[in-house]
Amino acid sequence: MTIKLIKQGEEEITINQLIDELKKIPQIAECGAIFAFEGLVRGEEKDLSTHTLNMTTLDYDKSQMELEKLVEDVKDKHQVKEVAVIHYLGKFQPGDPLFLVAVAGAHRQETRAALNEVIERVKYELEFQKEEETNQGNRIIMSGG
């Protein structure tokens, strides 16, 4: 299954491709739900306009391994059939996809819970750094923000 950090320009995977991949798993007949999330670069927030966002990680290999472990933990905890995750790294514009998650499970309750947990844990546990160029200057947001 796809669990990847992708540097900008290396490969482009869409949320629809992740969903299509899940529909091809051997256990699809046991699934009653697929939930997906596509996180975008937000350009406007109150009085703040973001022009570009640069997403990096200090240690690519470590972050990739931590992402894989996190996904396995969530799959085991919620007993879902499969989880696919893409997190892009590089410089992006408002509206660009940044973080994709798709989860296939037997029932909507555990499938939705697994999706939510992946989203929150990736945001708070992996060592990402976002640098935003905004109308109020540059700002850096470390993981957890």
Side-chain angles (χ1 to χ4, degrees), residues 70-90:
L70 184 153
V71 167
E72 285 305 312
D73 289 348
V74 171
K75 279 178 63 177
D76 291 345
K77 176 180 177 182
H78 295 283
Q79 296 297 295
V80 293
K81 301 301 178 185
E82 197 57 82
V83 177
V85 178
I86 298 295
H87 205 305
Y88 289 105
L89 302 171

Side-chain angles (χ1 to χ4, degrees), residues 104-119:
H107 305 97
R108 68 183 176 278
Q109 293 85 357
E110 69 265 17
T111 307
R112 187 177 332 134
L115 175 70
N116 289 337
E117 185 167 337
V118 169
I119 293 166

Side-chain angles (χ1 to χ4, degrees), residues 58-73:
L58 299 175
D59 186 335
Y60 177 89
D61 292 332
K62 178 182 176 195
S63 293
Q64 176 66 42
M65 288 178 13
E66 288 174 346
L67 180 60
E68 292 169 8
K69 171 87 169 83
L70 184 153
V71 167
E72 285 305 312
D73 289 348

Side-chain angles (χ1 to χ4, degrees), residues 9-144:
E10 284 185 350
E11 183 177 10
E12 187 174 323
I13 297 174
T14 67
I15 195 67
N16 289 337
Q17 288 172 310
L18 282 187
I19 293 168
D20 288 345
E21 185 177 328
L22 289 179
K23 289 179 179 179
K24 295 175 185 171
I25 64 172
Q27 310 93 322
I28 194 64
E30 301 169 34
C31 294
I34 293 177
F35 281 90
F37 172 82
E38 182 173 16
L40 306 175
V41 176
R42 183 176 31 246
E44 299 291 330
E45 185 176 3
K46 297 185 185 177
D47 294 331
L48 185 70
S49 294
T50 299
H51 308 298
T52 61
L53 180 143
N54 190 31
M55 177 68 73
T56 60
T57 182
L58 299 175
D59 186 335
Y60 177 89
D61 292 332
K62 178 182 176 195
S63 293
Q64 176 66 42
M65 288 178 13
E66 288 174 346
L67 180 60
E68 292 169 8
K69 171 87 169 83
L70 184 153
V71 167
E72 285 305 312
D73 289 348
V74 171
K75 279 178 63 177
D76 291 345
K77 176 180 177 182
H78 295 283
Q79 296 297 295
V80 293
K81 301 301 178 185
E82 197 57 82
V83 177
V85 178
I86 298 295
H87 205 305
Y88 289 105
L89 302 171
K91 193 169 188 176
F92 302 95
Q93 307 295 316
D96 287 344
L98 193 61
F99 178 42
L100 313 174
V101 183
V103 180
H107 305 97
R108 68 183 176 278
Q109 293 85 357
E110 69 265 17
T111 307
R112 187 177 332 134
L115 175 70
N116 289 337
E117 185 167 337
V118 169
I119 293 166
E120 294 306 313
R121 287 185 63 188
V122 166
K123 180 175 181 95
Y124 291 104
E125 293 179 20
L126 296 186
E127 294 181 11
F128 290 121
Q129 176 178 305
K130 294 190 289 189
E131 182 175 358
E132 297 178 332
E133 296 176 18
T134 75
N135 61 330
Q136 298 178 9
N138 288 7
R139 66 182 189 161
I140 294 176
I141 303 167
M142 301 301 289
S143 43

